[in-house]
Amino acid sequence: MVVCFPDTQDNMPKIPVHLTRVGVTGVKKLLKIERGQKRPIVLIPKFDAFVDLPSDQRGIHMSRSPEAISEVVEEVVNKSSVEIESLCAEIVKTMMEKHKYAKVAEVRMISDFMFVKKSPVTENKTQEMTKLIAKAVGYRNNDEFKIRKSIGAEVVGMTVCPCAQESVMEADRSKLLEFLDEETTQKVVDTVTFASHNQRGIGTVIIEVPEHHVVRGEDIIQIIEDSMSSPVCELLKRPDENAVVMQAHKKPGFVEDCVRNMVEKIIQNYSHLPDDTLVTVRQVNEESIHRHNAFAEKISTMGDLKAEIEDN
């Protein structure tokens, strides 16, 4: 005997208020991405999936969102290649089919991503961990349906405070002038690297990917690493440690500098993207001599970013 249970979610709520996002968070899946002749990428991403809820409906059919994630992930397992932002877009499409009442659907994916690099001097191979981010948002207006998808990365690096470094340099210059002449002192100042306090920097870039365009996560990782004082490495021998520290102190930068560096590199690499392409750039520096952290962010369209750079 089959028992038919009522759809309580379809009832009228006691308080008829439209809700912006309702859904599930932290849905884990195993995802294997084939890359032709290269070694496949294995990810264990977490998905967050949401739809909006009309004011005349008490709840969403919650199980349909993780169901949509499972169906799409299983479907792409056998494909030769897939972009993770396109995977999120497919989940959004499936969610819209399952949630007929929704006008907006959103899927966000974040996963640890392992890549191999070499230490700067000894060239030891080391596995480095970063995070890949993908997002898709679908909008329904009667029979029209539009999806905007994005890809990004979050990368840890090293920054050196230029303000503290200049203070140390001026203090040491005064000491040197006690027993050296001005010319010799200046030669020393121009030659040696001065100390400063360091921060662990966390850079994030998310770029919208328009149809018929490709933005690679590995390229975004490179942009973020190159925008800080120095990349960091999991495995460093003594010569490598010296190289990293020296490189970082020769390229000091504020949290604001890191964001502007990323913006400049994004324009250099992706100026061909449409002007309405949305770009998010963020830097958090975990301070070593303060209890607080430093934060900077830029959210803009590609067209506005290009205009700012060109005006300067």
Side-chain angles (χ1 to χ4, degrees), residues 45-60:
K46 282 185 180 180
F47 291 91
D48 299 336
F50 311 101
V51 295
D52 69 324
L53 184 66
S55 60
D56 60 355
Q57 182 156 330
R58 185 175 180 184
I60 71 166

Side-chain angles (χ1 to χ4, degrees), residues 27-33 43-48 65-79 82-84 86-92 94 98 107-109:
V27 178
K28 282 188 177 182
K29 292 292 176 183
L30 178 65
L31 185 61
K32 182 180 178 181
I33 301 176
L43 304 175
I44 305 179
K46 282 185 180 180
F47 291 91
D48 299 336
S65 295
E67 182 181 53
I69 296 171
S70 296
E71 288 178 4
V72 174
V73 170
E74 287 299 320
E75 184 180 335
V76 303
V77 165
N78 298 320
K79 290 187 177 180
V82 63
E83 294 88 17
I84 56 175
S86 297
L87 170 67
C88 290
E90 287 300 318
I91 296 173
V92 164
T94 305
K98 293 178 179 293
V107 172
R108 176 184 170 90
M109 189 209 91

Side-chain angles (χ1 to χ4, degrees), residues 20-37:
T20 307
R21 296 198 301 172
V22 183
V24 295
T25 63
V27 178
K28 282 188 177 182
K29 292 292 176 183
L30 178 65
L31 185 61
K32 182 180 178 181
I33 301 176
E34 298 291 344
R35 299 190 299 165
Q37 301 299 318

Side-chain angles (χ1 to χ4, degrees), residues 143-175:
D143 294 333
E144 294 184 4
F145 184 61
K146 183 178 181 180
I147 295 182
R148 300 182 77 120
K149 55 185 181 178
S150 306
I151 186 171
E154 179 185 289
V155 182
V156 173
M158 176 182 176
T159 59
V160 170
C161 178
C163 183
Q165 189 177 54
E166 288 185 9
S167 298
V168 170
M169 181 182 68
E170 289 305 318
D172 286 346
R173 181 199 293 271
S174 297
K175 292 179 180 178

